[in-house]
Amino acid sequence: MPDIEFFFDISSPWTYLAFTNVQPMAAELGATIHWKPFMVGGVFNTVNPTVYESRRTPVPAKQAYLGKSLADWARWTGVQINFPPKVFPVNSVKLMRGCLVLDAQGQLPAFAKAGFEAYWRDDLDISQDSVVREVCARAGVDADALLAAIGVQEIKDQLRANTEELIARGGFGTPTIFLGDDMYFGNDHLPLVRAALERAR
């Protein structure tokens, strides 16, 4: 059974869906998830700048359908997503560094879930220290300790390294899942991830 490498940035609503949906699937199939926080803006700047152009000149029919699809997926997944939030795009670097800090302590899933909910459900600006503190409170994390830890150079370097690793492996956005060298992009590809895991099992 290959492990699941889950590259993610909290600033994406589709990633919120995949983050929520991949966990019960992994538990059911006995697969281990390795969380890989990264900065999607760094990926867009390097290999996928067309994202910015599509935001500047959206196709109305496509945008309408994407809104409907997002709402359908949110309903099916059982989460609430308010799109677009007041601040979009958002600088998620503090939460993504926080995810790295907390991964070693086994607290990443709870912290990331609280971060997704704060931004996509409650429409809070996750770039602000006050909101980071709120996310910490929801996840049962010491906010003072976390805010100090995310300023450590090692954590900054690791987030950058994860971003560069995804680019080097052919990734172009969030969420990106790897089973070994086999890459899958997007929440809608989770059925294919499941199929590959079932074949391996």
Side-chain angles (χ1 to χ4, degrees):
M1 175 72 69
D3 292 341
I4 298 170
E5 293 179 89
F6 190 91
F7 284 80
F8 74 103
D9 187 326
I10 285 173
S11 66
S12 157
W14 303 100
T15 304
Y16 182 17
L17 295 167
F19 171 85
T20 303
N21 291 325
V22 74
Q23 293 182 75
M25 182 185 74
E28 176 191 342
L29 298 177
T32 299
I33 301 174
H34 295 286
W35 303 108
K36 303 296 285 281
F38 77 102
M39 293 304 297
V40 75
V43 173
F44 291 162
N45 291 338
T46 305
V47 297
N48 193 10
T50 57
V51 169
Y52 302 126
E53 180 59 32
S54 67
R55 288 175 181 171
R56 285 191 295 269
T57 56
V59 178
K62 182 179 180 181
Q63 288 300 110
Y65 179 77
L66 288 176
K68 176 221 183 298
S69 180
L70 184 61
D72 288 344
W73 273 105
R75 187 180 306 109
W76 186 81
T77 302
V79 299
Q80 181 181 342
I81 294 178
N82 296 310
F83 186 85
K86 289 193 295 284
V87 178
F88 182 80
V90 71
N91 186 340
S92 60
V93 67
K94 293 174 182 176
L95 289 192
M96 301 320 297
R97 289 177 184 166
C99 285
L100 282 173
V101 170
L102 296 169
D103 191 24
Q105 304 169 27
Q107 294 178 287
L108 183 152
F111 180 76
K113 179 177 184 289
F116 278 118
E117 290 175 346
Y119 186 47
W120 293 111
R121 185 189 68 190
D122 303 330
D123 204 6
L124 300 177
D125 181 358
I126 56 174
S127 70
Q128 302 301 310
D129 283 356
S130 60
V131 177
V132 176
R133 288 183 175 277
E134 173 65 21
V135 171
C136 287
R138 296 181 186 188
V141 170
D142 183 325
D144 290 333
L146 184 83
L147 286 168
I150 64 176
V152 173
Q153 191 62 44
E154 179 183 357
I155 293 300
K156 296 178 181 179
D157 291 344
Q158 183 59 57
L159 190 62
R160 186 177 302 109
N162 282 0
T163 304
E164 292 171 352
E165 178 189 351
L166 180 62
I167 293 169
R169 296 173 71 179
F172 49 85
T174 179
T176 301
I177 294 170
F178 286 93
L179 303 178
D181 293 328
D182 203 6
M183 187 177 84
Y184 300 85
F185 174 72
N187 172 70
D188 57 336
H189 279 70
L190 284 178
L192 299 181
V193 174
R194 169 184 283 275
L197 290 171
E198 288 176 338
R199 286 195 303 272
R201 187 173 64 169

mmCIF file of all heavy atoms in Angstrom, residues 87-116:
data_model
loop_
_atom_site.group_PDB
_atom_site.id
_atom_site.type_symbol
_atom_site.label_atom_id
_atom_site.label_comp_id
_atom_site.label_asym_id
_atom_site.label_seq_id
_atom_site.Cartn_x
_atom_site.Cartn_y
_atom_site.Cartn_z
ATOM 1 N N VAL A 87 -11.639 38.425 1.859
ATOM 2 C CA VAL A 87 -10.232 38.577 1.481
ATOM 3 C C VAL A 87 -9.852 37.392 0.601
ATOM 4 O O VAL A 87 -9.749 36.262 1.077
ATOM 5 C CB VAL A 87 -9.324 38.625 2.734
ATOM 6 C CG1 VAL A 87 -7.858 38.743 2.319
ATOM 7 C CG2 VAL A 87 -9.720 39.779 3.635
ATOM 8 N N PHE A 88 -9.691 37.654 -0.699
ATOM 9 C CA PHE A 88 -9.331 36.589 -1.626
ATOM 10 C C PHE A 88 -8.607 37.179 -2.822
ATOM 11 O O PHE A 88 -9.099 38.120 -3.427
ATOM 12 C CB PHE A 88 -10.573 35.836 -2.107
ATOM 13 C CG PHE A 88 -10.253 34.694 -3.037
ATOM 14 C CD1 PHE A 88 -9.818 33.487 -2.516
ATOM 15 C CD2 PHE A 88 -10.348 34.846 -4.414
ATOM 16 C CE1 PHE A 88 -9.505 32.436 -3.374
ATOM 17 C CE2 PHE A 88 -10.037 33.803 -5.270
ATOM 18 C CZ PHE A 88 -9.617 32.597 -4.736
ATOM 19 N N PRO A 89 -7.431 36.638 -3.148
ATOM 20 C CA PRO A 89 -6.718 35.580 -2.427
ATOM 21 C C PRO A 89 -6.169 36.084 -1.102
ATOM 22 O O PRO A 89 -6.106 37.293 -0.876
ATOM 23 C CB PRO A 89 -5.597 35.202 -3.400
ATOM 24 C CG PRO A 89 -5.370 36.443 -4.210
ATOM 25 C CD PRO A 89 -6.715 37.089 -4.355
ATOM 26 N N VAL A 90 -5.780 35.147 -0.252
ATOM 27 C CA VAL A 90 -5.309 35.489 1.086
ATOM 28 C C VAL A 90 -3.883 34.984 1.268
ATOM 29 O O VAL A 90 -3.472 34.010 0.630
ATOM 30 C CB VAL A 90 -6.231 34.876 2.161
ATOM 31 C CG1 VAL A 90 -6.072 33.358 2.227
ATOM 32 C CG2 VAL A 90 -6.017 35.522 3.520
ATOM 33 N N ASN A 91 -3.136 35.658 2.128
ATOM 34 C CA ASN A 91 -1.790 35.203 2.481
ATOM 35 C C ASN A 91 -1.920 34.179 3.611
ATOM 36 O O ASN A 91 -2.221 34.539 4.742
ATOM 37 C CB ASN A 91 -0.924 36.386 2.915
ATOM 38 C CG ASN A 91 0.517 35.984 3.160
ATOM 39 O OD1 ASN A 91 0.829 34.809 3.363
ATOM 40 N ND2 ASN A 91 1.419 36.952 3.160
ATOM 41 N N SER A 92 -1.685 32.925 3.282
ATOM 42 C CA SER A 92 -1.878 31.840 4.248
ATOM 43 C C SER A 92 -0.590 31.375 4.899
ATOM 44 O O SER A 92 -0.569 30.346 5.568
ATOM 45 C CB SER A 92 -2.546 30.644 3.559
ATOM 46 O OG SER A 92 -1.721 30.178 2.499
ATOM 47 N N VAL A 93 0.507 32.130 4.720
ATOM 48 C CA VAL A 93 1.821 31.637 5.119
ATOM 49 C C VAL A 93 1.903 31.308 6.611
ATOM 50 O O VAL A 93 2.550 30.326 7.000
ATOM 51 C CB VAL A 93 2.934 32.634 4.712
ATOM 52 C CG1 VAL A 93 2.832 33.942 5.484
ATOM 53 C CG2 VAL A 93 4.308 32.003 4.877
ATOM 54 N N LYS A 94 1.244 32.085 7.462
ATOM 55 C CA LYS A 94 1.334 31.812 8.902
ATOM 56 C C LYS A 94 0.699 30.468 9.249
ATOM 57 O O LYS A 94 1.257 29.695 10.035
ATOM 58 C CB LYS A 94 0.690 32.946 9.700
ATOM 59 C CG LYS A 94 1.447 34.260 9.600
ATOM 60 C CD LYS A 94 0.712 35.402 10.281
ATOM 61 C CE LYS A 94 1.481 36.701 10.104
ATOM 62 N NZ LYS A 94 0.751 37.866 10.676
ATOM 63 N N LEU A 95 -0.449 30.195 8.658
ATOM 64 C CA LEU A 95 -1.097 28.917 8.945
ATOM 65 C C LEU A 95 -0.325 27.758 8.333
ATOM 66 O O LEU A 95 -0.242 26.671 8.930
ATOM 67 C CB LEU A 95 -2.532 28.911 8.423
ATOM 68 C CG LEU A 95 -3.547 29.792 9.161
ATOM 69 C CD1 LEU A 95 -4.961 29.452 8.716
ATOM 70 C CD2 LEU A 95 -3.445 29.658 10.675
ATOM 71 N N MET A 96 0.251 27.966 7.161
ATOM 72 C CA MET A 96 0.990 26.873 6.530
ATOM 73 C C MET A 96 2.269 26.568 7.307
ATOM 74 O O MET A 96 2.649 25.397 7.459
ATOM 75 C CB MET A 96 1.295 27.195 5.064
ATOM 76 C CG MET A 96 0.049 27.459 4.207
ATOM 77 S SD MET A 96 -1.365 26.373 4.540
ATOM 78 C CE MET A 96 -0.695 24.781 4.097
ATOM 79 N N ARG A 97 2.941 27.590 7.805
ATOM 80 C CA ARG A 97 4.088 27.341 8.680
ATOM 81 C C ARG A 97 3.622 26.654 9.960
ATOM 82 O O ARG A 97 4.288 25.760 10.481
ATOM 83 C CB ARG A 97 4.795 28.650 9.013
ATOM 84 C CG ARG A 97 5.553 29.268 7.849
ATOM 85 C CD ARG A 97 6.149 30.597 8.266
ATOM 86 N NE ARG A 97 6.806 31.285 7.156
ATOM 87 C CZ ARG A 97 7.176 32.562 7.183
ATOM 88 N NH1 ARG A 97 6.960 33.291 8.274
ATOM 89 N NH2 ARG A 97 7.758 33.114 6.136
ATOM 90 N N GLY A 98 2.458 27.078 10.463
ATOM 91 C CA GLY A 98 1.915 26.437 11.656
ATOM 92 C C GLY A 98 1.648 24.964 11.443
ATOM 93 O O GLY A 98 1.883 24.142 12.330
ATOM 94 N N CYS A 99 1.169 24.618 10.264
ATOM 95 C CA CYS A 99 0.940 23.204 9.948
ATOM 96 C C CYS A 99 2.244 22.411 10.024
ATOM 97 O O CYS A 99 2.271 21.286 10.540
ATOM 98 C CB CYS A 99 0.324 23.072 8.556
ATOM 99 S SG CYS A 99 -1.421 23.513 8.461
ATOM 100 N N LEU A 100 3.335 22.999 9.528
ATOM 101 C CA LEU A 100 4.629 22.322 9.600
ATOM 102 C C LEU A 100 5.062 22.120 11.047
ATOM 103 O O LEU A 100 5.534 21.048 11.418
ATOM 104 C CB LEU A 100 5.684 23.134 8.850
ATOM 105 C CG LEU A 100 5.683 23.023 7.331
ATOM 106 C CD1 LEU A 100 6.668 24.008 6.731
ATOM 107 C CD2 LEU A 100 6.036 21.604 6.896
ATOM 108 N N VAL A 101 4.897 23.142 11.856
ATOM 109 C CA VAL A 101 5.285 23.057 13.265
ATOM 110 C C VAL A 101 4.512 21.943 13.964
ATOM 111 O O VAL A 101 5.065 21.156 14.738
ATOM 112 C CB VAL A 101 5.039 24.404 13.981
ATOM 113 C CG1 VAL A 101 5.199 24.260 15.497
ATOM 114 C CG2 VAL A 101 5.981 25.471 13.445
ATOM 115 N N LEU A 102 3.218 21.858 13.667
ATOM 116 C CA LEU A 102 2.344 20.951 14.397
ATOM 117 C C LEU A 102 2.313 19.539 13.840
ATOM 118 O O LEU A 102 1.818 18.622 14.494
ATOM 119 C CB LEU A 102 0.927 21.521 14.438
ATOM 120 C CG LEU A 102 0.795 22.837 15.212
ATOM 121 C CD1 LEU A 102 -0.564 23.459 14.985
ATOM 122 C CD2 LEU A 102 1.048 22.611 16.700
ATOM 123 N N ASP A 103 2.846 19.347 12.645
ATOM 124 C CA ASP A 103 2.826 18.019 12.037
ATOM 125 C C ASP A 103 3.573 17.011 12.903
ATOM 126 O O ASP A 103 3.086 15.892 13.132
ATOM 127 C CB ASP A 103 3.435 18.070 10.641
ATOM 128 C CG ASP A 103 3.214 16.785 9.848
ATOM 129 O OD1 ASP A 103 2.255 16.057 10.150
ATOM 130 O OD2 ASP A 103 4.001 16.517 8.929
ATOM 131 N N ALA A 104 4.726 17.399 13.390
ATOM 132 C CA ALA A 104 5.535 16.487 14.199
ATOM 133 C C ALA A 104 4.848 16.132 15.507
ATOM 134 O O ALA A 104 5.161 15.101 16.120
ATOM 135 C CB ALA A 104 6.904 17.106 14.473
ATOM 136 N N GLN A 105 3.920 16.968 15.941
ATOM 137 C CA GLN A 105 3.214 16.740 17.202
ATOM 138 C C GLN A 105 1.869 16.042 16.999
ATOM 139 O O GLN A 105 1.120 15.837 17.960
ATOM 140 C CB GLN A 105 2.989 18.085 17.914
ATOM 141 C CG GLN A 105 4.276 18.867 18.155
ATOM 142 C CD GLN A 105 4.020 20.287 18.620
ATOM 143 O OE1 GLN A 105 2.996 20.575 19.232
ATOM 144 N NE2 GLN A 105 4.941 21.200 18.322
ATOM 145 N N GLY A 106 1.561 15.704 15.760
ATOM 146 C CA GLY A 106 0.306 15.032 15.477
ATOM 147 C C GLY A 106 -0.909 15.940 15.521
ATOM 148 O O GLY A 106 -2.048 15.464 15.522
ATOM 149 N N GLN A 107 -0.687 17.249 15.544
ATOM 150 C CA GLN A 107 -1.793 18.201 15.668
ATOM 151 C C GLN A 107 -2.140 18.892 14.349
ATOM 152 O O GLN A 107 -3.018 19.744 14.325
ATOM 153 C CB GLN A 107 -1.457 19.259 16.721
ATOM 154 C CG GLN A 107 -1.354 18.721 18.138
ATOM 155 C CD GLN A 107 -0.962 19.817 19.115
ATOM 156 O OE1 GLN A 107 0.173 20.275 19.147
ATOM 157 N NE2 GLN A 107 -1.919 20.239 19.919
ATOM 158 N N LEU A 108 -1.470 18.512 13.276
ATOM 159 C CA LEU A 108 -1.730 19.192 12.007
ATOM 160 C C LEU A 108 -3.178 19.042 11.545
ATOM 161 O O LEU A 108 -3.794 20.048 11.163
ATOM 162 C CB LEU A 108 -0.769 18.696 10.929
ATOM 163 C CG LEU A 108 -0.880 19.369 9.551
ATOM 164 C CD1 LEU A 108 0.456 19.325 8.819
ATOM 165 C CD2 LEU A 108 -1.961 18.742 8.665
ATOM 166 N N PRO A 109 -3.761 17.848 11.533
ATOM 167 C CA PRO A 109 -5.133 17.747 11.015
ATOM 168 C C PRO A 109 -6.131 18.648 11.739
ATOM 169 O O PRO A 109 -6.963 19.298 11.089
ATOM 170 C CB PRO A 109 -5.465 16.264 11.186
ATOM 171 C CG PRO A 109 -4.138 15.581 11.118
ATOM 172 C CD PRO A 109 -3.199 16.513 11.836
ATOM 173 N N ALA A 110 -6.054 18.707 13.054
ATOM 174 C CA ALA A 110 -6.992 19.537 13.806
ATOM 175 C C ALA A 110 -6.753 21.021 13.541
ATOM 176 O O ALA A 110 -7.704 21.805 13.404
ATOM 177 C CB ALA A 110 -6.860 19.245 15.307
ATOM 178 N N PHE A 111 -5.491 21.411 13.458
ATOM 179 C CA PHE A 111 -5.153 22.812 13.212
ATOM 180 C C PHE A 111 -5.553 23.217 11.797
ATOM 181 O O PHE A 111 -6.142 24.294 11.588
ATOM 182 C CB PHE A 111 -3.652 23.013 13.421
ATOM 183 C CG PHE A 111 -3.182 24.421 13.197
ATOM 184 C CD1 PHE A 111 -3.412 25.408 14.154
ATOM 185 C CD2 PHE A 111 -2.496 24.765 12.042
ATOM 186 C CE1 PHE A 111 -2.967 26.721 13.954
ATOM 187 C CE2 PHE A 111 -2.052 26.064 11.832
ATOM 188 C CZ PHE A 111 -2.282 27.041 12.795
ATOM 189 N N ALA A 112 -5.235 22.386 10.815
ATOM 190 C CA ALA A 112 -5.605 22.705 9.435
ATOM 191 C C ALA A 112 -7.122 22.774 9.276
ATOM 192 O O ALA A 112 -7.643 23.666 8.597
ATOM 193 C CB ALA A 112 -5.015 21.676 8.477
ATOM 194 N N LYS A 113 -7.840 21.851 9.902
ATOM 195 C CA LYS A 113 -9.307 21.869 9.837
ATOM 196 C C LYS A 113 -9.847 23.184 10.396
ATOM 197 O O LYS A 113 -10.727 23.814 9.799
ATOM 198 C CB LYS A 113 -9.888 20.691 10.615
ATOM 199 C CG LYS A 113 -11.414 20.620 10.636
ATOM 200 C CD LYS A 113 -11.881 19.367 11.365
ATOM 201 C CE LYS A 113 -13.403 19.223 11.309
ATOM 202 N NZ LYS A 113 -14.081 20.232 12.147
ATOM 203 N N ALA A 114 -9.296 23.605 11.532
ATOM 204 C CA ALA A 114 -9.728 24.873 12.125
ATOM 205 C C ALA A 114 -9.392 26.040 11.212
ATOM 206 O O ALA A 114 -10.156 27.009 11.112
ATOM 207 C CB ALA A 114 -9.077 25.051 13.494
ATOM 208 N N GLY A 115 -8.263 25.958 10.521
ATOM 209 C CA GLY A 115 -7.889 27.014 9.590
ATOM 210 C C GLY A 115 -8.805 27.072 8.384
ATOM 211 O O GLY A 115 -9.242 28.157 7.961
ATOM 212 N N PHE A 116 -9.102 25.909 7.810
ATOM 213 C CA PHE A 116 -10.050 25.864 6.689
ATOM 214 C C PHE A 116 -11.398 26.444 7.098
ATOM 215 O O PHE A 116 -11.999 27.231 6.363
ATOM 216 C CB PHE A 116 -10.236 24.416 6.226
ATOM 217 C CG PHE A 116 -9.177 23.903 5.300
ATOM 218 C CD1 PHE A 116 -8.382 22.824 5.671
ATOM 219 C CD2 PHE A 116 -8.987 24.462 4.048
ATOM 220 C CE1 PHE A 116 -7.410 22.322 4.822
ATOM 221 C CE2 PHE A 116 -8.025 23.973 3.179
ATOM 222 C CZ PHE A 116 -7.222 22.900 3.568
#
